[in-house]
Amino acid sequence: MPCEVNTRFVILYGSQKGQAQSIAEGIAVEAEDHGLVAELSCLNQSEKYNLEKEKAPVVFIVSTTGDGEPPDNALQFVKGIKKKTLSTDHYKHLCYALLALGDTNYANFCNCGKTIERRLQALGAKQFYVTGYADDGVGLEVVVDPWLEGLWKAIKGALSKMASDKVDPLKGPSVRALAITDSKYARTASYSASDEGTTLSDDGGAPHVPLSSLNVPALPPPYLHVSLQDVDSREQVRNDVADEDIPIERAIQLTTGDLVKTSLLLELDTSAYPTMTYLPGDSFDVFCPNRATEVEDMLCRLGLQDKKHHQVHVSLNKDTKKKGAQVPSYIPPSISLLYLLTWCLEIRTVPKKAFLRALVEHTGDTVQRRRLQELCSKQGATEYNQYVRDPGLSILEVLTAFPSCSPPLCLLIEHLPKLQPRPYSAASSCLKHPGKLHFVFNVVEFSACSGRPVGRRGLCTGWLFDLINPGKPKCSGSHALPKIHVSLRPKCSFRLPSDLSVPFVMVGPGTGVAPFIGFLQQREKERQDNPEAVFGETWLFFGCRYRDRDYLFREELEGFVTSGVLDHLKVSFSRDELEMEGNEVTTSVARPRYVQHNLLLHRQQITEILLKKNGCLYVCGDAKNMAKDVNDTLIEIIKTQLQVDQLEAMKTLAGLREEKRYLQDIWG
Ligand code: FAD
């Protein structure tokens, strides 16, 4: 008797920045080509799915955010499945596959996915396909692409198995009979490029992929309908975010000379804004617009310069088959085109392959089309990484390299994510600076490369830099500085120990020192207010390139040492040739170049604070290198000090993290 198979499966996603969502949506679209019916929901749409009764295969696509936390729209779900009251067979009817997205630059890689998986298994669910752990640090597609390729066979296998398990020889199958075949599967169009002209010059990126046959992804039809109405929307103001317009009171450049990144301190006057009350350790979002020149360039590329004040209407294409299709929630109604490109869409986004694929259809020149096809093809993965992803080319920079490409506005809206605010850590304490909020930032520089003829600054830091224009005299004290949109970020666990007697270690090179300035200012005030109290020992490991160029807050830090607020200040200079440590001149061989070297030098005291005195260790700053190196060094320290093996040392560190005694506030 033929096996009769149900075709339905469920896709659930939890997504912070839209990547997990877009992968989930891609699966839902592709399902049809495989003769399958996908039911797509976000994890927080609990009214749309019911795992308690679900018999069909369930595919989870989940990202991880912050310090290993679930994305906002998966929080409730994760909380729910963690309940201790659930029995070990709660999900024994469930079979699942899981794709976890994460970034190995951060601690707790793919933690949300791992948590969900752990709980599903503890509750009896069965896995029908190997779990994928995709790393944004090296490119999600390295894992995502092969995982997606194998998924279909796995789903079909799971459905077939369910059908055969279910066949009742007396009653026969109750489900609709349908053979699942690959006949409709036309996802990859085989594109023979060998007969189409020659190659592109290096400004468009020379094709290095053999041009025999490319697997170019299929193109989903547009799902948004966009029209422009000739209503002048010039008066548009930003009212879609719960932020405050806070005046900048002071701007100070903290670094001097070249060979160092430019660091600036901004002081905001928050006295008139009660919602801006913060504690040291808090961070807040700065809402910056896209650069006016880039918005103009984009309008030019769209051929819409003369319509920039027209009102934009975005709706769903009536006949769209895209599962879960929605008008992006971050596009408010009745906005002008100028406002849309200035405040809503991240036009600096590095275009994903799907976006490049869509651009092919709007590119006139054959050679350029072929190059785009190559970049989005399976065979062009390395090229894509080298030419687009690694140098961080923005969509505008890509368009510049493909002059014959004229994308429609709807394509941009479909593919560009929300313009994200940039978070910054408070570098002050309200106790020391009532009504003020300080923060420090490095001006990010993107150097010129083959796809970017001229270097540029980071979006927000470049914007702030231009706003305060440190070259001009008004920088030092005049009230002519502008206001910026700011909002406090909720949920912060990066806090001083509530018990004043607990010792703590702070590791914050470069601008990573920011929250520790707040901590120490707070501690200074606490010491004044509680002269009788016993205060735990305090350590700060700071690092920079040169003592006389980028030693941020030097005077203030040395002042903390003099007043006894900071017991140990350990500074490493990575580029100074000879360095004085106390009275000894250390040679470049022996001197600690980076914070982790200094940590190693003081391994005994660190171990004592963390493992004997119940103390805390805080790390703030660069996630890509520093935080990893510090983490590895801590493992090394635990290994040698406790005489345990690597695994045991890792467990000990993980335990400290669990107890919130090893805390990170890192970015990159
Ligand atoms: P963007 O235009 O957004 O570009 C930066 C992005 O490009 C980053 O993803 C980076 O990895 C990448 N990038 C940078 N240089 C290159 C390059 N040469 N080539 C390719 N890619 C590159 N920053 C501070 O300076 N001080 C703080 O106190 C601070 N606190 C933070 C707190 C939190 C909780 C978080 C999450 C981040 C914090 N940041 C802080 C980082 C800050 O939010 C911004 O990311 C940073 O200022 C850059 O923003 P931007 O818009 O100028 O750069």
Side-chain angles (χ1 to χ4, degrees), residues 162-278:
M162 281 174 177
S164 56
D165 288 352
K166 215 171 161 186
V167 170
D168 176 339
L170 294 174
K171 262 174 75 189
S174 59
V175 288
R176 185 165 62 99
L178 188 104
I180 297 173
T181 70
D182 276 343
S183 61
K184 288 171 84 185
Y185 180 42
R187 180 171 176 266
T188 57
S190 190
Y191 174 78
S192 172
S194 56
D195 52 354
E196 280 209 26
T198 49
T199 56
L200 255 193
S201 74
D202 233 354
D203 353 351
H208 302 115
V209 176
L211 297 180
S212 50
S213 169
L214 298 175
N215 293 103
V216 178
L219 181 70
Y223 69 96
L224 289 179
H225 174 75
V226 179
S227 62
L228 293 174
Q229 202 183 349
D230 190 0
V231 180
D232 198 320
S233 309
R234 217 174 287 245
E235 297 309 310
Q236 186 75 45
V237 286
R238 289 191 75 233
N239 56 4
D240 52 316
V241 284
D243 57 353
E244 299 277 14
D245 236 355
I246 312 256
I248 301 176
E249 182 145 303
R250 263 186 331 142
I252 301 167
Q253 184 162 338
L254 301 178
T255 47
T256 52
D258 47 12
L259 301 176
V260 292
K261 291 175 189 158
T262 304
S263 301
L264 295 159
L265 176 140
L266 294 197
E267 179 175 278
L268 305 183
D269 179 1
T270 55
S271 48
Y273 306 90
T275 55
M276 290 302 296
T277 309
Y278 64 96

Side-chain angles (χ1 to χ4, degrees), residues 208-506:
H208 302 115
V209 176
L211 297 180
S212 50
S213 169
L214 298 175
N215 293 103
V216 178
L219 181 70
Y223 69 96
L224 289 179
H225 174 75
V226 179
S227 62
L228 293 174
Q229 202 183 349
D230 190 0
V231 180
D232 198 320
S233 309
R234 217 174 287 245
E235 297 309 310
Q236 186 75 45
V237 286
R238 289 191 75 233
N239 56 4
D240 52 316
V241 284
D243 57 353
E244 299 277 14
D245 236 355
I246 312 256
I248 301 176
E249 182 145 303
R250 263 186 331 142
I252 301 167
Q253 184 162 338
L254 301 178
T255 47
T256 52
D258 47 12
L259 301 176
V260 292
K261 291 175 189 158
T262 304
S263 301
L264 295 159
L265 176 140
L266 294 197
E267 179 175 278
L268 305 183
D269 179 1
T270 55
S271 48
Y273 306 90
T275 55
M276 290 302 296
T277 309
Y278 64 96
L279 286 171
D282 272 331
S283 53
F284 60 94
D285 284 330
V286 171
F287 294 81
C288 65
N290 284 310
R291 272 189 102 73
T293 50
E294 290 174 22
V295 172
E296 281 303 321
D297 288 350
M298 187 58 96
L299 285 164
C300 272
R301 282 314 290 264
L302 297 170
L304 295 172
Q305 304 97 298
D306 54 343
K307 299 205 168 126
K308 64 182 171 194
H309 297 299
H310 285 204
Q311 232 176 56
V312 186
H313 292 276
V314 186
S315 55
L316 283 186
N317 260 340
K318 281 193 193 72
D319 48 0
T320 185
K321 296 207 170 70
K322 182 177 155 78
K323 294 266 162 36
Q326 279 171 354
V327 173
S329 57
Y330 45 86
I331 302 184
S334 321
I335 53 164
S336 70
L337 175 57
L338 184 65
Y339 181 87
L340 173 84
L341 295 178
T342 306
W343 287 105
C344 305
L345 304 179
E346 181 101 40
I347 64 172
R348 283 275 184 97
T349 300
V350 180
K352 298 255 167 3
K353 286 183 184 172
F355 197 176
L356 298 184
R357 171 65 189 92
L359 291 180
V360 172
E361 307 306 304
H362 305 280
T363 305
D365 180 89
T366 319
V367 179
Q368 291 173 24
R369 279 171 70 90
R370 187 164 71 203
R371 176 61 173 156
L372 281 170
Q373 280 168 318
E374 220 172 51
L375 288 170
C376 67
S377 70
K378 203 170 160 184
Q379 292 87 341
T382 314
E383 275 286 282
Y384 170 81
N385 284 348
Q386 276 174 6
Y387 177 67
V388 182
R389 182 183 184 273
D390 296 346
L393 288 198
S394 71
I395 178 63
L396 253 181
E397 286 161 344
V398 168
L399 288 176
T400 307
F402 294 88
S404 77
C405 177
S406 307
L409 178 59
C410 83
L411 207 67
L412 253 62
I413 300 179
E414 286 189 10
H415 287 273
L416 292 180
K418 178 185 181 199
L419 176 59
Q420 294 280 349
R422 273 44 174 183
Y424 293 92
S425 310
S428 51
S429 156
C430 287
L431 296 181
K432 171 131 188 194
H433 298 283
K436 305 281 186 263
L437 168 61
H438 295 179
F439 68 101
V440 193
F441 63 93
N442 280 333
V443 181
V444 171
E445 303 278 354
F446 292 85
S447 45
C449 61
S450 77
R452 180 186 304 121
V454 186
R456 58 166 161 84
R457 298 202 171 103
L459 182 67
C460 186
T461 56
W463 174 72
L464 289 170
F465 183 87
D466 290 347
L467 274 186
I468 57 177
N469 200 345
K472 292 231 170 116
K474 72 175 176 190
C475 178
S476 52
S478 110
H479 288 278
L481 289 168
K483 293 181 171 186
I484 56 174
H485 304 291
V486 163
S487 103
L488 261 191
R489 282 159 66 91
K491 285 191 288 182
C492 174
S493 54
F494 204 74
R495 291 269 185 263
L496 274 170
S498 48
D499 179 347
L500 300 177
S501 69
V502 169
F504 60 92
V505 179
M506 300 165 279

